[in-house]
Amino acid sequence: MTTPFSLASLLRTGLPAPAARYAGFPAFNFVGGHNDPGSTPVDGLLEAITTVMRREGRTLATYGLESGPQGYLPLRDFLVSKLKRDADVSCTSDEILITSGSLQGIDLVNALLVGPGDTVIIEQDCYGGSITRLQRLGAKIIGIPLDGDGMRMDALAETLDDLKSRGITPKYIYAIPTIQNPTATIMPLERRRQLLALAMTHGVPIFEDECYSDLIFEGGRPPALMALARTEGWGGVIHIGSFSKSIAPALRVGYLVADWDILARILPLKTDAGSGALEQMVLAEYCNRHFESHVASLNATLRAKRDALVDALHEHFGTAAEFEVPPGGIFLWMTLPASVDTSRLYTVAAAAGIAINPGVEWSVDAGHGRRRLRLCFANPPIDVIRAGVAALAEVCHREMGVPERIGNVQQR
Amino acid sequence: MTTPFSLASLLRTGLPAPAARYAGFPAFNFVGGHNDPGSTPVDGLLEAITTVMRREGRTLATYGLESGPQGYLPLRDFLVSKLKRDADVSCTSDEILITSGSLQGIDLVNALLVGPGDTVIIEQDCYGGSITRLQRLGAKIIGIPLDGDGMRMDALAETLDDLKSRGITPKYIYAIPTIQNPTATIMPLERRRQLLALAMTHGVPIFEDECYSDLIFEGGRPPALMALARTEGWGGVIHIGSFSKSIAPALRVGYLVADWDILARILPLKTDAGSGALEQMVLAEYCNRHFESHVASLNATLRAKRDALVDALHEHFGTAAEFEVPPGGIFLWMTLPASVDTSRLYTVAAAAGIAINPGVEWSVDAGHGRRRLRLCFANPPIDVIRAGVAALAEVCHREMGVPERIGNVQQR
């Protein structure tokens, strides 16, 4: 006799909804951290992998190559110099953990610190993947409002004081100080100092996510919060970064930097027997010689795409679209008139082959996110960006009366 | 005023102990799934990656390449034909998920099914990583004793009946039917049918881990449990496998096969934005042309290492070491006299530069595991295997009086 097994009765409680079958990318894909395909340094990566495979391909027979559980040592060595040069962070290779994308870094820090009911402080508008992770963990999320310089320090100070008065120590302050996701702001040095001072005063760690910080088109990159903290001799910053935005997202290579006493607690939580070695090897070999020149070239391309997006938004949405021109990164955060619900726009746009991030998925304040949306511009060609914005304006106009008039490329 | 943050007070409860700093591999390394370095197909992998990078390197700019969240489609297509040829499994590429090693497959299945207090059935002697994962999840683990043909069906039937009488449905029966870890047995076809029949009768899913099944030196590979289940039209088997043992462990590429209704629930739990793409691409390109010939050559090398280990054990431990000669794989499961505690042996051997897996880490029955140990033989060169066994016998003799006399190569 066969007892048909009942999948539903065996499942853990609280699982996410089932996945739909993959149907390919939409025609106008303004979501996801995809990069510019033509900027993938194919020749350079191939040259690097040829060199490194000939030199040490046999070490692929060994978990962790010969570098141990923290990742390929030459890549960590590259990061030591890169972090010093670009972010003013002084660290050693022993303080770096190579991760499978910076997402794994987020998972590891959460596994270290965040359990159900724990309080965390994040930016009010924030990377959707960080928000959903914290929600799944059952954390109490407090969002700090942003302005053009990033997290507002008056609001952060008030929140920390309030929590302290209630005897609550938040597990961390999560910040994306350089090219904040989704607002694309760069927190100035002085505010970084204020943020660090507040964290130090309250004894709350800072979880610094710098995954977009290589992509700056205008203006400089201030020192990382970790750099400032180390100058003060304070070990309370955990810093993560990624090669997804600077080289290629499909490689899935990120990194985490922390004092050894923190890293020693994180390492046993990384139970994946190492991140992909080939990708670590090729990145170490490639980046040592080409990182800076590649990123300069990539940024020129991304800036042109950003300009195309900004032009198209002005043309097709006119004054209906409010936004700051992002000084770097791969996305633009836009506000539409109060009559627009971008979650509904998301649905009607999807039916027209246009993918956008509705604001409620990128903000912990639903009312604030309701009329906002995120548009990613790195992946589509410039003509597709233009056509996609036109198509989005068309849908938005048809369904919500915004913008009131539709721009028309042909008539200009 | 600075409040020094207190890491200890912020940590989640129940974390594993801190990691020690990496100190390199020991001189005699008989642990870990490392493979034979000289068998790494460096030239073939390099040729494959050159081809695939020239053809589609630009797609690295896209998460998931152009294959969606289940992994690189050409690799899934290869697996469809490989699984049919080697394991008699009929499946489609839509039923396959590429994972970051088969370890991620284990994590995903556990995340789908196993919560605190849930009951799972595993083989009494079992992969240590599977045991520790289940322990961390707070599962109730029931170990089924093994004989020379794998899991004992009388004991399994009794356990299932007992659980049923208490109203408990176990979340799965975890089995490594082909080159069981650590005993290296191959479950014969008839017992596979019995296992499937019991699972079907009780409506309990089978979690089939076939990560060593390509490495068979003598005898054939019976159809996978999933193959038999699909012939019966029963969808209760989740099957995982790996390229770690057949090609290279550091690549971190495995796979999971399941009916779509199960896979649709697993996919949203894979929140890593894809497994490493370069490794998937190179494997697809390489394996389509070279998998079978490479594995044949690798198995010849591993068999020679196994023979060297067996000879060395006979020579240095004599009758003190009881074991079955493994018909494949990369490890040997050995029983020493009752006076030996292999956990103590582990400690004294480590001090002598010899790494072994003590039996208690590879068994859910501590009493059973106490005098047993696992020796991995794929990674060390043959002369190191010989010297390492001699050194282990020396330590064991000195500390525990076993073996009573020490073999001596020079005197033979």
Side-chain angles (χ1 to χ4, degrees), chain A residues 1 3 5 10 12 19 25 34-35 60-61 63 111-112 133 171 200-201 203 236 245 249-250 252 264 271-272 277-279, chain B residues 3 5 10 12 19 25 34-35 60-63 111-112 133 171 200-201 203 236 245 249-250 252 264 271-272 277-279:
Chain A
M1 192 196 72
T3 305
F5 84 101
L10 294 166
R12 288 193 67 172
F25 289 124
H34 313 299
N35 215 318
L60 289 172
Y63 283 96
L112 182 77
R133 278 168 163 73
K171 289 306 185 90
M200 288 174 67
T201 301
K245 317 307 175 188
R252 313 305 307 119
T271 56
D272 60 2
L278 205 55
E279 278 134 356
Chain B
T3 305
F5 84 102
L10 294 166
R12 288 193 66 173
F25 289 124
H34 312 300
N35 214 320
L60 289 172
T62 318
Y63 283 97
L112 182 77
R133 278 167 164 74
K171 289 305 186 91
M200 289 174 67
T201 300
K245 317 308 174 188
R252 313 306 307 119
T271 55
D272 60 2
L278 205 54
E279 279 132 1

Short mmCIF file of all heavy atoms in Angstrom, two decimals, chain A residues 1 3 5 10 12 19 25 34-35 60-61 63 111-112 133 171 200-201 203 236 245 249-250 252 264 271-272 277-279, chain B residues 3 5 10 12 19 25 34-35 60-63 111-112 133 171 200-201 203 236 245 249-250 252 264 271-272 277-279:
data_model
loop_
_atom_site.label_atom_id
_atom_site.label_comp_id
_atom_site.label_asym_id
_atom_site.label_seq_id
_atom_site.Cartn_x
_atom_site.Cartn_y
_atom_site.Cartn_z
N MET A 1 0.85 -1.20 0.00
CA MET A 1 0.00 0.00 0.00
C MET A 1 0.88 1.25 0.00
O MET A 1 1.84 1.33 0.75
CB MET A 1 -0.88 0.00 1.25
CG MET A 1 -1.98 1.02 1.21
SD MET A 1 -2.66 1.29 2.88
CE MET A 1 -1.36 2.18 3.70
N THR A 3 1.29 5.21 0.70
CA THR A 3 0.76 6.41 1.32
C THR A 3 1.32 7.60 0.54
O THR A 3 2.51 7.85 0.59
CB THR A 3 1.20 6.52 2.79
OG1 THR A 3 0.84 5.32 3.47
CG2 THR A 3 0.57 7.72 3.47
N PHE A 5 2.82 10.81 -0.12
CA PHE A 5 3.35 11.74 0.87
C PHE A 5 2.76 13.12 0.61
O PHE A 5 2.51 13.50 -0.52
CB PHE A 5 4.87 11.75 0.85
CG PHE A 5 5.47 12.64 -0.18
CD1 PHE A 5 5.97 13.88 0.17
CD2 PHE A 5 5.52 12.25 -1.51
CE1 PHE A 5 6.51 14.71 -0.79
CE2 PHE A 5 6.07 13.08 -2.46
CZ PHE A 5 6.55 14.31 -2.11
N LEU A 10 4.49 18.41 5.42
CA LEU A 10 5.87 18.24 5.86
C LEU A 10 6.65 19.55 5.90
O LEU A 10 7.69 19.63 6.54
CB LEU A 10 6.60 17.26 4.91
CG LEU A 10 6.10 15.82 4.91
CD1 LEU A 10 6.67 15.07 3.71
CD2 LEU A 10 6.49 15.11 6.20
N ARG A 12 8.17 23.21 6.57
CA ARG A 12 8.33 24.09 7.71
C ARG A 12 7.30 25.21 7.64
O ARG A 12 6.85 25.59 6.56
CB ARG A 12 9.73 24.73 7.71
CG ARG A 12 10.82 23.75 8.06
CD ARG A 12 12.10 24.50 8.33
NE ARG A 12 11.98 25.30 9.54
CZ ARG A 12 12.99 25.93 10.12
NH1 ARG A 12 14.19 25.87 9.57
NH2 ARG A 12 12.81 26.63 11.21
N ALA A 19 7.93 29.50 -6.00
CA ALA A 19 8.44 30.24 -7.15
C ALA A 19 7.59 29.95 -8.38
O ALA A 19 7.02 28.87 -8.51
CB ALA A 19 9.89 29.84 -7.41
N PHE A 25 14.01 37.33 -19.09
CA PHE A 25 13.97 38.73 -18.69
C PHE A 25 12.89 39.46 -19.48
O PHE A 25 12.62 39.13 -20.63
CB PHE A 25 15.32 39.40 -18.95
CG PHE A 25 16.40 38.95 -18.01
CD1 PHE A 25 17.59 38.42 -18.49
CD2 PHE A 25 16.23 39.04 -16.64
CE1 PHE A 25 18.59 38.00 -17.63
CE2 PHE A 25 17.22 38.63 -15.76
CZ PHE A 25 18.41 38.10 -16.27
N HIS A 34 22.10 43.69 -12.33
CA HIS A 34 22.83 43.34 -13.55
C HIS A 34 23.69 44.51 -14.01
O HIS A 34 23.38 45.66 -13.78
CB HIS A 34 21.85 42.96 -14.67
CG HIS A 34 20.79 42.00 -14.23
ND1 HIS A 34 21.07 40.74 -13.76
CD2 HIS A 34 19.44 42.12 -14.18
CE1 HIS A 34 19.94 40.12 -13.44
NE2 HIS A 34 18.94 40.94 -13.68
N ASN A 35 24.75 44.17 -14.72
CA ASN A 35 25.66 45.21 -15.17
C ASN A 35 25.64 45.31 -16.69
O ASN A 35 24.89 44.61 -17.36
CB ASN A 35 27.08 44.91 -14.65
CG ASN A 35 27.84 46.19 -14.32
OD1 ASN A 35 27.77 47.17 -15.05
ND2 ASN A 35 28.54 46.19 -13.20
N LEU A 60 42.84 23.19 -7.32
CA LEU A 60 41.38 23.06 -7.29
C LEU A 60 40.96 21.73 -6.68
O LEU A 60 39.79 21.56 -6.30
CB LEU A 60 40.81 23.16 -8.71
CG LEU A 60 40.84 24.55 -9.36
CD1 LEU A 60 40.42 24.45 -10.82
CD2 LEU A 60 39.93 25.51 -8.61
N ALA A 61 41.88 20.78 -6.58
CA ALA A 61 41.57 19.49 -5.94
C ALA A 61 41.39 19.63 -4.44
O ALA A 61 41.00 18.67 -3.77
CB ALA A 61 42.67 18.49 -6.24
N TYR A 63 39.76 21.68 -1.16
CA TYR A 63 38.82 22.67 -0.62
C TYR A 63 39.62 23.86 -0.11
O TYR A 63 40.62 23.70 0.59
CB TYR A 63 38.03 22.08 0.55
CG TYR A 63 36.92 21.16 0.12
CD1 TYR A 63 37.10 19.79 0.09
CD2 TYR A 63 35.67 21.66 -0.25
CE1 TYR A 63 36.08 18.93 -0.29
CE2 TYR A 63 34.65 20.81 -0.64
CZ TYR A 63 34.86 19.45 -0.65
OH TYR A 63 33.85 18.61 -1.03
N ALA A 111 23.29 35.98 10.93
CA ALA A 111 23.37 34.72 11.68
C ALA A 111 24.16 34.91 12.97
O ALA A 111 23.91 34.25 13.98
CB ALA A 111 24.01 33.63 10.82
N LEU A 112 25.12 35.82 12.93
CA LEU A 112 25.94 36.10 14.11
C LEU A 112 25.15 36.85 15.18
O LEU A 112 25.30 36.59 16.38
CB LEU A 112 27.15 36.94 13.70
CG LEU A 112 28.15 37.30 14.80
CD1 LEU A 112 29.03 36.10 15.12
CD2 LEU A 112 29.02 38.49 14.38
N ARG A 133 15.35 39.88 4.38
CA ARG A 133 16.11 38.98 5.27
C ARG A 133 15.80 39.25 6.73
O ARG A 133 15.59 38.33 7.53
CB ARG A 133 17.62 39.18 5.02
CG ARG A 133 18.14 38.41 3.82
CD ARG A 133 19.53 38.85 3.44
NE ARG A 133 20.15 37.87 2.56
CZ ARG A 133 19.84 37.68 1.29
NH1 ARG A 133 18.88 38.41 0.73
NH2 ARG A 133 20.45 36.75 0.57
N LYS A 171 21.11 45.51 17.59
CA LYS A 171 22.19 44.61 17.22
C LYS A 171 23.18 45.28 16.28
O LYS A 171 24.36 44.95 16.28
CB LYS A 171 21.61 43.34 16.60
CG LYS A 171 20.91 42.43 17.61
CD LYS A 171 21.81 42.08 18.79
CE LYS A 171 21.16 41.09 19.73
NZ LYS A 171 21.47 39.71 19.38
N MET A 200 29.66 54.80 18.63
CA MET A 200 30.62 54.58 19.71
C MET A 200 30.04 54.97 21.06
O MET A 200 30.24 54.30 22.06
CB MET A 200 31.92 55.35 19.42
CG MET A 200 32.74 54.76 18.27
SD MET A 200 34.18 55.77 17.80
CE MET A 200 35.20 55.64 19.26
N THR A 201 29.32 56.06 21.08
CA THR A 201 28.70 56.51 22.33
C THR A 201 27.74 55.47 22.88
O THR A 201 27.68 55.21 24.08
CB THR A 201 27.95 57.84 22.11
OG1 THR A 201 28.88 58.81 21.64
CG2 THR A 201 27.28 58.31 23.39
N GLY A 203 27.70 52.22 21.94
CA GLY A 203 28.21 50.85 21.92
C GLY A 203 27.46 49.94 20.96
O GLY A 203 27.29 48.75 21.21
N GLY A 236 34.12 48.17 16.30
CA GLY A 236 32.70 47.86 16.16
C GLY A 236 32.12 47.99 14.76
O GLY A 236 30.91 48.10 14.61
N LYS A 245 29.48 44.48 -8.65
CA LYS A 245 29.19 45.72 -9.35
C LYS A 245 30.39 46.20 -10.15
O LYS A 245 30.24 46.83 -11.19
CB LYS A 245 28.78 46.80 -8.35
CG LYS A 245 27.83 46.32 -7.26
CD LYS A 245 26.59 45.62 -7.81
CE LYS A 245 25.73 45.05 -6.68
NZ LYS A 245 24.63 44.22 -7.16
N PRO A 249 28.44 40.50 -11.82
CA PRO A 249 27.60 39.95 -10.75
C PRO A 249 27.52 38.42 -10.75
O PRO A 249 27.41 37.82 -9.69
CB PRO A 249 26.22 40.57 -11.02
CG PRO A 249 26.24 41.02 -12.44
CD PRO A 249 27.67 41.34 -12.75
N ALA A 250 27.57 37.81 -11.94
CA ALA A 250 27.38 36.35 -11.98
C ALA A 250 28.53 35.59 -11.34
O ALA A 250 28.42 34.41 -11.05
CB ALA A 250 27.17 35.88 -13.42
N ARG A 252 29.66 36.06 -8.37
CA ARG A 252 29.27 35.82 -6.97
C ARG A 252 30.47 35.84 -6.03
O ARG A 252 30.74 34.86 -5.31
CB ARG A 252 28.48 34.50 -6.80
CG ARG A 252 27.38 34.25 -7.78
CD ARG A 252 26.32 35.34 -7.88
NE ARG A 252 25.76 35.71 -6.59
CZ ARG A 252 25.85 36.94 -6.08
NH1 ARG A 252 26.47 37.91 -6.71
NH2 ARG A 252 25.29 37.21 -4.94
N ALA A 264 36.28 35.39 13.91
CA ALA A 264 36.40 34.05 14.48
C ALA A 264 35.04 33.46 14.85
O ALA A 264 34.87 32.24 14.88
CB ALA A 264 37.31 34.08 15.72
N THR A 271 29.36 27.49 6.49
CA THR A 271 29.46 26.03 6.43
C THR A 271 29.37 25.52 5.00
O THR A 271 28.92 24.41 4.75
CB THR A 271 28.34 25.39 7.27
OG1 THR A 271 27.08 25.91 6.80
CG2 THR A 271 28.48 25.72 8.74
N ASP A 272 29.80 26.35 4.04
CA ASP A 272 29.64 25.98 2.64
C ASP A 272 30.90 25.34 2.05
O ASP A 272 30.97 25.11 0.85
CB ASP A 272 29.24 27.21 1.81
CG ASP A 272 30.28 28.32 1.88
OD1 ASP A 272 31.32 28.12 2.55
OD2 ASP A 272 30.06 29.38 1.28
N ALA A 277 36.21 28.69 -6.11
CA ALA A 277 37.64 29.01 -6.15
C ALA A 277 38.06 29.62 -7.47
O ALA A 277 38.89 30.53 -7.51
CB ALA A 277 38.44 27.73 -5.90
N LEU A 278 37.50 29.12 -8.56
CA LEU A 278 37.91 29.61 -9.87
C LEU A 278 37.68 31.11 -9.95
O LEU A 278 38.52 31.87 -10.48
CB LEU A 278 37.08 28.87 -10.93
CG LEU A 278 37.65 28.73 -12.32
CD1 LEU A 278 39.02 28.09 -12.29
CD2 LEU A 278 36.69 27.88 -13.17
N GLU A 279 36.56 31.55 -9.42
CA GLU A 279 36.23 32.97 -9.49
C GLU A 279 37.14 33.81 -8.61
O GLU A 279 37.53 34.92 -8.97
CB GLU A 279 34.77 33.15 -9.12
CG GLU A 279 33.90 32.86 -10.32
CD GLU A 279 32.70 31.99 -10.06
OE1 GLU A 279 32.54 31.51 -8.94
OE2 GLU A 279 31.94 31.76 -10.99
N THR B 3 31.13 54.05 24.55
CA THR B 3 30.70 52.82 25.20
C THR B 3 31.33 51.67 24.42
O THR B 3 30.97 51.45 23.28
CB THR B 3 29.17 52.67 25.15
OG1 THR B 3 28.58 53.84 25.72
CG2 THR B 3 28.72 51.44 25.90
N PHE B 5 31.65 48.48 22.69
CA PHE B 5 30.56 47.55 22.40
C PHE B 5 31.00 46.17 22.86
O PHE B 5 32.16 45.80 22.80
CB PHE B 5 30.20 47.58 20.92
CG PHE B 5 31.05 46.73 20.05
CD1 PHE B 5 30.60 45.50 19.59
CD2 PHE B 5 32.32 47.14 19.69
CE1 PHE B 5 31.40 44.71 18.81
CE2 PHE B 5 33.12 46.35 18.89
CZ PHE B 5 32.66 45.13 18.45
N LEU B 10 26.03 40.78 22.34
CA LEU B 10 25.23 40.97 21.12
C LEU B 10 25.01 39.67 20.35
O LEU B 10 24.13 39.58 19.51
CB LEU B 10 25.93 41.97 20.20
CG LEU B 10 26.02 43.41 20.72
CD1 LEU B 10 27.03 44.20 19.89
CD2 LEU B 10 24.66 44.09 20.68
N ARG B 12 24.06 36.02 18.95
CA ARG B 12 22.93 35.11 19.07
C ARG B 12 23.30 33.98 20.01
O ARG B 12 24.47 33.60 20.15
CB ARG B 12 22.57 34.52 17.71
CG ARG B 12 21.93 35.50 16.78
CD ARG B 12 21.32 34.79 15.60
NE ARG B 12 20.20 33.94 16.01
CZ ARG B 12 19.40 33.31 15.16
NH1 ARG B 12 19.61 33.41 13.87
NH2 ARG B 12 18.41 32.57 15.60
N ALA B 19 36.35 30.11 15.66
CA ALA B 19 37.34 29.40 14.84
C ALA B 19 38.74 29.71 15.34
O ALA B 19 39.00 30.79 15.87
CB ALA B 19 37.20 29.85 13.38
N PHE B 25 47.52 22.77 6.08
CA PHE B 25 47.18 21.36 6.18
C PHE B 25 48.25 20.63 6.99
O PHE B 25 49.43 21.00 6.96
CB PHE B 25 47.08 20.73 4.79
CG PHE B 25 45.88 21.19 4.02
CD1 PHE B 25 46.02 21.76 2.75
CD2 PHE B 25 44.60 21.04 4.53
CE1 PHE B 25 44.92 22.18 2.03
CE2 PHE B 25 43.49 21.46 3.80
CZ PHE B 25 43.65 22.03 2.56
N HIS B 34 39.00 16.40 -0.11
CA HIS B 34 39.96 16.80 -1.12
C HIS B 34 40.21 15.67 -2.12
O HIS B 34 40.08 14.51 -1.79
CB HIS B 34 41.29 17.20 -0.46
CG HIS B 34 41.14 18.12 0.69
ND1 HIS B 34 40.56 19.36 0.58
CD2 HIS B 34 41.46 17.98 2.00
CE1 HIS B 34 40.55 19.95 1.77
NE2 HIS B 34 41.08 19.13 2.65
N ASN B 35 40.60 16.05 -3.30
CA ASN B 35 40.81 15.04 -4.34
C ASN B 35 42.29 14.98 -4.72
O ASN B 35 43.12 15.68 -4.15
CB ASN B 35 39.92 15.36 -5.55
CG ASN B 35 39.44 14.09 -6.24
OD1 ASN B 35 40.19 13.13 -6.40
ND2 ASN B 35 38.18 14.09 -6.63
N LEU B 60 28.19 37.21 -18.15
CA LEU B 60 28.54 37.31 -16.73
C LEU B 60 28.03 38.61 -16.12
O LEU B 60 27.97 38.74 -14.89
CB LEU B 60 30.07 37.24 -16.55
CG LEU B 60 30.72 35.88 -16.79
CD1 LEU B 60 32.23 36.01 -16.78
CD2 LEU B 60 30.26 34.87 -15.75
N ALA B 61 27.67 39.57 -16.95
CA ALA B 61 27.11 40.83 -16.45
C ALA B 61 25.70 40.65 -15.89
O ALA B 61 25.14 41.57 -15.30
CB ALA B 61 27.09 41.88 -17.57
N THR B 62 25.14 39.47 -16.08
CA THR B 62 23.76 39.23 -15.69
C THR B 62 23.71 38.16 -14.60
O THR B 62 24.26 37.08 -14.78
CB THR B 62 22.95 38.73 -16.90
OG1 THR B 62 23.30 39.49 -18.05
CG2 THR B 62 21.47 38.86 -16.64
N TYR B 63 23.04 38.46 -13.50
CA TYR B 63 22.80 37.43 -12.48
C TYR B 63 22.11 36.24 -13.14
O TYR B 63 21.16 36.41 -13.90
CB TYR B 63 21.88 37.96 -11.38
CG TYR B 63 22.56 38.88 -10.40
CD1 TYR B 63 22.49 40.25 -10.54
CD2 TYR B 63 23.27 38.35 -9.34
CE1 TYR B 63 23.11 41.10 -9.63
CE2 TYR B 63 23.90 39.19 -8.42
CZ TYR B 63 23.81 40.57 -8.57
OH TYR B 63 24.41 41.40 -7.68
N ALA B 111 16.11 23.48 5.16
CA ALA B 111 15.33 24.72 5.32
C ALA B 111 13.87 24.51 4.89
O ALA B 111 12.95 25.13 5.42
CB ALA B 111 15.96 25.85 4.51
N LEU B 112 13.69 23.61 3.93
CA LEU B 112 12.33 23.31 3.45
C LEU B 112 11.53 22.52 4.47
O LEU B 112 10.33 22.75 4.66
CB LEU B 112 12.42 22.52 2.14
CG LEU B 112 11.11 22.15 1.46
CD1 LEU B 112 10.53 23.36 0.74
CD2 LEU B 112 11.30 20.98 0.49
N ARG B 133 24.61 19.59 10.93
CA ARG B 133 23.54 20.47 10.46
C ARG B 133 22.21 20.16 11.17
O ARG B 133 21.48 21.05 11.60
CB ARG B 133 23.37 20.33 8.95
CG ARG B 133 24.38 21.15 8.16
CD ARG B 133 24.38 20.74 6.69
NE ARG B 133 25.04 21.77 5.89
CZ ARG B 133 26.34 21.99 5.86
NH1 ARG B 133 27.15 21.27 6.61
NH2 ARG B 133 26.84 22.95 5.10
N LYS B 171 10.47 13.72 8.77
CA LYS B 171 10.51 14.65 7.65
C LYS B 171 11.18 14.03 6.43
O LYS B 171 10.85 14.38 5.30
CB LYS B 171 11.24 15.93 8.05
CG LYS B 171 10.44 16.79 9.03
CD LYS B 171 9.04 17.12 8.51
CE LYS B 171 8.30 18.09 9.39
NZ LYS B 171 8.51 19.49 9.01
N MET B 200 7.41 4.59 0.53
CA MET B 200 6.10 4.80 -0.10
C MET B 200 4.97 4.36 0.82
O MET B 200 3.93 5.02 0.92
CB MET B 200 6.05 4.05 -1.44
CG MET B 200 6.92 4.69 -2.52
SD MET B 200 7.01 3.71 -4.06
CE MET B 200 5.32 3.84 -4.65
N THR B 201 5.16 3.24 1.49
CA THR B 201 4.13 2.74 2.39
C THR B 201 3.84 3.75 3.50
O THR B 201 2.70 3.98 3.88
CB THR B 201 4.57 1.41 3.02
OG1 THR B 201 4.79 0.46 1.97
CG2 THR B 201 3.53 0.88 3.99
N GLY B 203 4.69 7.02 3.38
CA GLY B 203 4.52 8.40 2.93
C GLY B 203 5.63 9.32 3.41
O GLY B 203 5.41 10.50 3.67
N GLY B 236 8.32 11.36 -4.19
CA GLY B 236 8.81 11.65 -2.85
C GLY B 236 10.31 11.55 -2.67
O GLY B 236 10.77 11.46 -1.54
N LYS B 245 33.51 15.68 -6.26
CA LYS B 245 34.28 14.44 -6.20
C LYS B 245 34.74 14.02 -7.59
O LYS B 245 35.80 13.41 -7.73
CB LYS B 245 33.44 13.34 -5.57
CG LYS B 245 32.65 13.76 -4.35
CD LYS B 245 33.48 14.45 -3.27
CE LYS B 245 32.57 14.98 -2.15
NZ LYS B 245 33.30 15.80 -1.19
N PRO B 249 36.75 19.73 -5.99
CA PRO B 249 35.93 20.23 -4.87
C PRO B 249 35.91 21.75 -4.75
O PRO B 249 34.90 22.32 -4.36
CB PRO B 249 36.56 19.58 -3.63
CG PRO B 249 37.93 19.18 -4.05
CD PRO B 249 37.87 18.90 -5.52
N ALA B 250 37.03 22.40 -5.10
CA ALA B 250 37.08 23.85 -4.89
C ALA B 250 36.14 24.61 -5.82
O ALA B 250 35.86 25.79 -5.59
CB ALA B 250 38.52 24.37 -5.05
N ARG B 252 33.00 24.08 -6.10
CA ARG B 252 31.75 24.27 -5.36
C ARG B 252 30.52 24.25 -6.26
O ARG B 252 29.74 25.21 -6.31
CB ARG B 252 31.77 25.57 -4.53
CG ARG B 252 33.00 25.84 -3.71
CD ARG B 252 33.40 24.74 -2.75
NE ARG B 252 32.32 24.33 -1.87
CZ ARG B 252 31.83 23.08 -1.85
NH1 ARG B 252 32.31 22.12 -2.62
NH2 ARG B 252 30.87 22.78 -1.03
N ALA B 264 9.76 24.27 -6.55
CA ALA B 264 9.14 25.61 -6.48
C ALA B 264 9.14 26.15 -5.05
O ALA B 264 9.11 27.36 -4.84
CB ALA B 264 7.70 25.56 -7.02
N THR B 271 18.58 32.20 -1.60
CA THR B 271 18.57 33.67 -1.67
C THR B 271 19.97 34.22 -1.94
O THR B 271 20.30 35.33 -1.56
CB THR B 271 18.05 34.26 -0.34
OG1 THR B 271 18.85 33.74 0.73
CG2 THR B 271 16.60 33.91 -0.11
N ASP B 272 20.79 33.44 -2.64
CA ASP B 272 22.18 33.84 -2.86
C ASP B 272 22.40 34.52 -4.20
O ASP B 272 23.53 34.78 -4.60
CB ASP B 272 23.11 32.63 -2.73
CG ASP B 272 22.78 31.53 -3.75
OD1 ASP B 272 21.86 31.74 -4.57
OD2 ASP B 272 23.45 30.48 -3.73
N ALA B 277 28.89 31.53 -11.60
CA ALA B 277 28.56 31.26 -13.00
C ALA B 277 29.74 30.69 -13.78
O ALA B 277 29.58 29.80 -14.61
CB ALA B 277 28.08 32.54 -13.67
N LEU B 278 30.92 31.21 -13.51
CA LEU B 278 32.09 30.77 -14.27
C LEU B 278 32.26 29.26 -14.12
O LEU B 278 32.55 28.54 -15.09
CB LEU B 278 33.32 31.50 -13.74
CG LEU B 278 34.50 31.70 -14.65
CD1 LEU B 278 34.10 32.37 -15.94
CD2 LEU B 278 35.56 32.55 -13.92
N GLU B 279 32.07 28.79 -12.91
CA GLU B 279 32.26 27.37 -12.65
C GLU B 279 31.19 26.52 -13.31
O GLU B 279 31.47 25.43 -13.81
CB GLU B 279 32.29 27.14 -11.13
CG GLU B 279 33.66 27.45 -10.58
CD GLU B 279 33.67 28.32 -9.36
OE1 GLU B 279 32.60 28.69 -8.86
OE2 GLU B 279 34.77 28.65 -8.91
#
